[in-house]
Amino acid sequence: MAEALAQARLAEAKGETPVGAVLVTGNGRIAGVGHNASESLRDPTAHAEIAALRAAALVERNYRLEGGVLVVTLEPCLMCAGALVHARVAGLVYGAPDPKAGAVDSRLDCLEQAFCNHRVWSLGGVCREECAALLRAFFTRRRPAAPALTSASSSE
């Protein structure tokens, strides 16, 4: 998760939502890393998970990443969860849950659908607070502060 967090910080430094991912092979070697780049690439598929899967597929010379484990700082969305199934990774480890769009535990259990031809195990909540704090700080800086109510404005 330390490397995934480092990738998330790279994304943040580029003005991207701070999500990072790492694909670790069955023998413990990092085969691919990635971070969000949807804004800079103007690409809705440029999520951290997809970048890490693409990089690992090039290194492994195979899109089937059997035995691999994807480590990501945020619970994957529907697109990324589907990509894990198609890549046939063995497992997923994620940090913070995504209550709005999480497709592994929070909103949908995409990895356990009967029609999926491959099962991916998952473990959420690893370094949860650190991953969530990075995202909270990023969005707090991006959102304008709400105007404070004064006693004069509240009595009108």
Side-chain angles (χ1 to χ4, degrees):
M1 187 60 78
E3 182 60 35
L5 281 161
Q7 287 293 313
R9 289 184 187 96
L10 281 174
E12 182 177 31
K14 296 175 181 179
E16 300 281 352
T17 303
V19 178
V22 176
L23 190 287
V24 181
T25 65
N27 64 9
R29 179 178 48 82
I30 292 177
V33 299
H35 58 271
N36 275 7
S38 291
E39 295 289 334
S40 58
L41 296 177
R42 293 172 176 79
D43 179 356
T45 69
H47 290 194
E49 298 93 328
I50 301 299
L53 291 173
R54 286 177 176 157
L58 289 174
V59 167
E60 297 297 310
R61 297 179 163 202
N62 196 338
Y63 77 94
R64 292 182 177 172
L65 300 168
E66 297 175 276
V69 175
L70 187 79
V71 180
V72 62
T73 57
L74 180 65
E75 178 183 1
C77 69
L78 183 59
M79 174 185 68
C80 293
L84 295 176
V85 172
H86 287 292
R88 293 184 173 88
V89 299
L92 164 70
V93 174
Y94 70 87
D98 185 350
K100 291 184 180 180
V104 174
D105 291 313
S106 297
R107 303 295 294 169
L108 173 69
D109 191 353
C110 184
L111 301 180
E112 292 296 325
Q113 297 301 308
F115 63 83
C116 289
N117 65 340
H118 175 74
R119 294 286 179 261
V120 178
W121 59 261
S122 67
L123 173 64
V126 175
C127 298
R128 176 185 180 141
E129 287 308 313
E130 187 175 0
C131 294
L134 192 59
L135 286 159
R136 269 193 310 273
F138 175 79
F139 286 112
T140 298
R141 285 190 304 275
R142 290 192 60 165
R143 291 186 186 117
L149 289 178
T150 63
S151 58
S153 64
S154 61
S155 64
E156 294 177 353

